[in-house]
Amino acid sequence: MAAGLRLGPVLRYVDGNGGGRATVWAETDRPCTAEVRCADGAGGETRTFQVAGHHYALVQVTGLTPGSTTPYEVLLDGLPVWPPADSRHPPSTITTPDPGDDAGGGDGLRVTFGSCRWSAPPGDGKDPVGPDALDKLAARLAADPTDVRPDVLLLLGDQVYADETSAATRRRLAARRDLSEPPGAQVADYEEYTYLYDESWQDSGVRWLLSTVPSCMIFDDHDVVDDWNTSAAWVADMRRTGWWRERILSGLMSYWVYQHLGNLSPDELDADPLYAAVRAAPDGTDVLRRFAEEADADPASVRWSYRRDFGRTRLLMVDTRAGRVLDERHRAMLDEAEERWLREEALADRAGCDHLLIGTSLPWLLPPLMHDAEAWNAALCRGARGARWARFSEAVRRKVDLEHWSAFPESFERLARLLAEAGSGPDAPATVCVLSGDVHHAYVAEPVWREAAPRSRVLQLTCSPVHNRIPGSLRRGFRFGWSGAGRVLGRVLRRHGRVGRPVVEWRRTGGPWFGNQLMTLTLRGRSARLRLEHAREGGGLVTVREEAVTPEA
């Protein structure tokens, strides 16, 4: 029986410096040789590898012509399987940059980003969380192949929701186990994680979009469970349950297969001993499981963060979940090695960087009341007001998700200083932008520096969700968090927690905006423009804000 394509193709890496290479990920229904064949003669092939009874391929495509757009097809054991014969979408293509461009010539580099995409829209058209912004983007681009496409799509966390499954997924879970037993209607193991990716990536529009727009991904809490790694006490409580170990190992294994591998360049893949070991094994499950066990036991042994270069634009995608240091006396968003890596990459060869993008699922700058509440809570959990307040504050931390950068005050301040340093001096980039999601609304915030301001324009750009909801009470809460009264309440909390002023102040220059949405940065030379688009019921994507971030070139 001929091999079939279960999921994908997903275009992941495209060489941002004109090197003529790309990677395409796919899941097949049996072992086979997967091949990508491009119309211009470029291509590549590889044998699938196996994990937990599933078969995957990450094809390295070489020989692409710089500065070109070429259609491609996918073949399994020599037989074409993509595009489907009945496809209503344009051909899937790979677009490579012109090495003469500086990520700034021509139409510029278009970076579209967002986070928090719950499930795919149901087939009956009754979507409980409103229109899917990613689906709307796919529909627009498919309807007009000449429309300007993103050069890269940044998915900043919660690509799947392991703890909030759809009705369709719950029916699949119920068919294999008793949902009255923990973890109930949440996913339990690797096989059930595959259901989430099936549901999210088999949507026909999104499937085509991911096949033709390169993507970079990083996880957030719902990819594993809500509030993942909130505190050491939280971890201890989870490890006492009977279901958590399988959940965390399966979450890390599936993330490595479905998301992390595609973040790596061909050179990084060739140098990765884990990737080599999984591919070499007849069944890579045990190899990958041992890796996940080590990553869970010693988070510092793994680096999920990575760097991508797009001409003169540098992207640093930072893991703010798995590598946290949770000792209350030494809490840190990043462990020592991870923080050192971020600093080195942010400051390296600044003369060759016009725009520095820091991708972190969690916003650095929050509504001021929310920031102060998290700093207050962190101080009380450390014991600033005694043991009773510490116990109370741990319960509050979990109840209302007080776990962003501001809940790690020293990490917040070190990141602020790093951004200022990266943006200072004659070789500073034009912009230093922190791109985030998580908080189910969008906004633009700009730090107000107490000392000499950096030369670069530094911004917090937050865009969330792509496809989810936010209750009205939280909308009102976020609006209050940005208000003058909210700032006053925040100062009261800081005084109670004996917390000093943050190292920077900041002001909101756009938002808050609510709804399913995507944000796009267009970078041309040393200029930058920002656009926010909302998904409208019965319509497409509607621009609600567009502005220059820097003076136009």
Side-chain angles (χ1 to χ4, degrees):
M1 187 174 179
L5 188 65
R6 282 200 73 251
L7 206 54
V10 181
L11 177 61
R12 295 303 315 272
Y13 176 92
V14 173
D15 196 324
N17 291 308
R21 300 181 299 174
T23 63
V24 176
W25 180 96
E27 180 180 353
T28 66
D29 63 6
R30 66 196 63 229
C32 62
T33 296
E35 179 186 0
V36 172
R37 188 179 297 174
C38 300
D40 66 356
E45 66 176 40
T46 188
R47 287 293 297 178
T48 56
F49 60 90
Q50 179 173 316
V51 174
H54 291 255
H55 307 278
Y56 306 96
L58 187 62
V59 181
Q60 297 190 28
V61 180
T62 59
L64 292 161
T65 303
S68 70
T69 296
T70 181
Y72 73 90
E73 59 180 343
V74 177
L75 300 89
L76 302 181
D77 288 337
L79 300 176
V81 295
W82 184 270
D86 59 353
S87 174
R88 297 177 288 106
H89 293 92
S92 298
T93 59
I94 301 175
T95 298
T96 55
D98 187 331
D101 261 346
D102 60 356
D107 293 328
L109 175 74
R110 292 165 298 275
V111 180
T112 296
F113 63 96
S115 79
C116 307
R117 182 170 181 263
W118 178 78
S119 182
D124 61 9
K126 298 175 182 177
D127 197 324
V129 299
D132 184 338
L134 210 58
D135 212 44
K136 295 294 186 182
L137 176 62
R140 183 177 75 192
L141 298 180
D144 182 5
T146 66
D147 194 5
V148 176
R149 296 181 181 181
D151 293 294
V152 64
L153 182 65
L154 309 186
L155 301 177
L156 294 168
D158 297 344
Q159 277 67 263
V160 295
Y161 279 70
D163 52 348
E164 297 178 22
T165 54
S166 69
T169 294
R170 289 194 294 273
R171 287 192 291 271
R172 295 185 73 180
L173 301 182
R176 69 188 299 260
R177 61 180 174 84
D178 183 357
L179 299 191
S180 67
E181 298 292 329
Q186 302 183 26
V187 301
D189 57 22
Y190 188 96
E191 178 64 22
E192 293 178 4
Y193 262 102
T194 70
Y195 300 170
L196 302 181
Y197 287 100
D198 285 352
E199 184 173 52
S200 186
W201 290 1
Q202 281 188 353
D203 172 87
S204 62
V206 170
R207 188 176 191 179
W208 171 79
L209 179 71
L210 294 178
S211 77
T212 204
V213 176
S215 53
C216 298
M217 306 180 190
I218 196 71
F219 45 35
D220 199 18
D221 55 344
H222 290 285
D223 290 273
V224 176
V225 72
D226 188 26
D227 299 342
W228 176 30
N229 279 347
T230 289
S231 66
W234 181 94
V235 172
D237 286 348
M238 296 299 285
R239 286 177 174 170
R240 281 192 285 270
T241 69
W243 58 271
W244 171 247
R245 179 172 173 78
E246 188 59 39
R247 170 71 151 272
I248 184 61
L249 297 185
S250 296
L252 294 174
M253 291 169 67
S254 60
Y255 175 76
W256 185 87
V257 170
Y258 285 86
Q259 299 190 50
H260 180 68
L261 275 182
N263 293 330
L264 305 180
S265 71
D267 291 342
E268 289 169 325
L269 289 167
D270 290 344
D272 189 329
L274 175 62
Y275 182 52
V278 169
R279 294 178 67 204
D283 183 341
T285 307
D286 290 343
V287 174
L288 189 55
R289 188 176 181 87
R290 285 194 295 272
F291 162 80
E293 290 171 343
E294 182 178 0
D296 179 45
D298 180 14
S301 66
V302 179
R303 193 185 78 229
W304 300 104
S305 302
Y306 59 97
R307 169 177 167 171
R308 293 283 300 276
D309 291 298
F310 305 91
R312 294 179 60 84
T313 296
R314 180 178 307 165
L315 169 67
L316 304 179
M317 288 284 263
V318 183
D319 160 32
T320 53
R321 279 291 168 189
R324 295 176 172 186
V325 178
L326 298 177
D327 182 329
E328 288 296 344
R329 294 292 175 179
H330 306 284
R331 272 172 68 87
M333 184 66 85
L334 311 177
D335 64 48
E336 185 177 336
E338 189 97 353
E339 190 167 307
R340 184 168 57 249
W341 173 87
L342 177 60
R343 178 176 178 79
E344 290 172 353
E345 297 296 343
L347 299 179
D349 186 27
R350 289 191 300 154
C353 178
D354 286 335
H355 302 278
L356 175 62
L357 309 179
I358 309 290
T360 161
S361 62
L362 302 177
W364 168 54
L365 301 180
L366 289 167
L369 172 57
M370 190 172 176
H371 173 97
D372 291 340
E374 294 199 354
W376 163 78
N377 178 264
L380 296 188
C381 287
R382 284 196 307 272
R385 287 283 182 176
R388 288 182 61 189
W389 274 105
R391 290 191 296 272
F392 167 77
S393 297
E394 173 65 24
V396 171
R397 174 158 59 188
R398 298 191 202 184
K399 182 69 174 177
V400 293
D401 297 351
L402 302 181
E403 42 140 7
H404 299 80
W405 282 92
S406 45
F408 298 80
E410 292 183 1
S411 295
F412 174 90
E413 295 202 355
R414 287 195 295 269
L415 180 58
R417 294 190 178 97
L418 174 60
L419 298 178
E421 184 177 354
S424 299
D427 293 334
T431 64
V432 177
C433 296
V434 180
L435 313 181
S436 307
D438 180 69
V439 291
H440 288 212
H441 69 296
Y443 58 89
V444 180
E446 185 166 7
V448 179
W449 307 91
R450 295 202 191 121
E451 301 175 357
R455 184 176 181 181
S456 305
R457 189 171 188 197
V458 180
L459 292 174
Q460 169 70 64
L461 305 176
T462 303
C463 183
S464 167
V466 172
H467 184 231
N468 212 314
R469 64 160 68 93
I470 180 168
S473 58
L474 283 181
R475 293 188 185 209
R476 292 188 291 274
F478 283 129
R479 290 186 190 279
F480 180 72
W482 286 108
S483 69
R487 290 177 184 270
V488 171
L489 178 56
R491 288 196 291 270
V492 172
L493 292 175
R494 286 208 317 264
R495 284 197 297 271
H496 179 262
R498 298 166 181 163
V499 176
R501 293 170 62 194
V503 68
V504 293
E505 304 290 340
W506 56 96
R507 60 191 178 95
R508 174 175 51 87
T509 60
W513 297 286
F514 299 96
N516 293 332
Q517 49 203 343
L518 289 168
M519 199 174 272
T520 298
L521 269 177
T522 299
L523 308 171
R524 184 179 295 110
R526 290 181 66 82
S527 71
R529 288 192 66 82
L530 175 68
R531 184 174 72 249
L532 178 72
E533 296 176 291
H534 277 188
R536 293 291 166 84
E537 198 76 59
L541 289 175
V542 177
T543 299
V544 297
R545 179 71 169 256
E546 185 162 11
E547 63 182 48
V549 173
T550 61
E552 297 290 343

